[in-house]
């Protein structure tokens, strides 16, 4: 939620920069699934078939540097809608 990240001192350009970073993180997450070899190997057709006709989407990201990365990242995400 950009309103939670911004405050009264946030400039118009900084607000657009925040929005750009959120969109970049979302697109990067999906492209990383397609380009990084691993346990799940996807291509664009896989992603498209899952997302086609699904309507609006909510994409959340989290960050952690501990040994329990996924649990910490999930705990750092805001409540799901």
């Amino acid at each position: 939620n950009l309103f939670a990240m911004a405050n009264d001192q946030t400039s118009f350009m900084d607000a657009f920069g925040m929005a750009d970073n959120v969109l970049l993180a979302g697109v990067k997450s999906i492209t990383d699934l397609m380009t990084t070899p691993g346990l799940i190997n996807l291509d664009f057709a896989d992603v498209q078939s899952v997302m086609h006709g699904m309507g609006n989407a909510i994409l959340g990201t989290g960050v952690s540097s501990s040994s329990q990365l996924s649990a910490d990242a999930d705990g750092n995400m805001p409540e799901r809608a």
Side-chain angles (χ1 to χ4, degrees), residues 1 17 20 40 45 62 76:
N1 186 337
D20 284 346
I40 302 172
N76 290 335

Side-chain angles (χ1 to χ4, degrees), residues 10-20:
T10 304
S11 73
F12 192 67
M13 292 304 294
D14 287 341
F16 273 110
M18 289 178 193
D20 284 346

Side-chain angles (χ1 to χ4, degrees), residues 32-42 46:
D32 284 350
L33 286 173
M34 293 186 286
T35 60
T36 305
L39 296 175
I40 302 172
N41 294 308
L42 302 170
D46 296 323

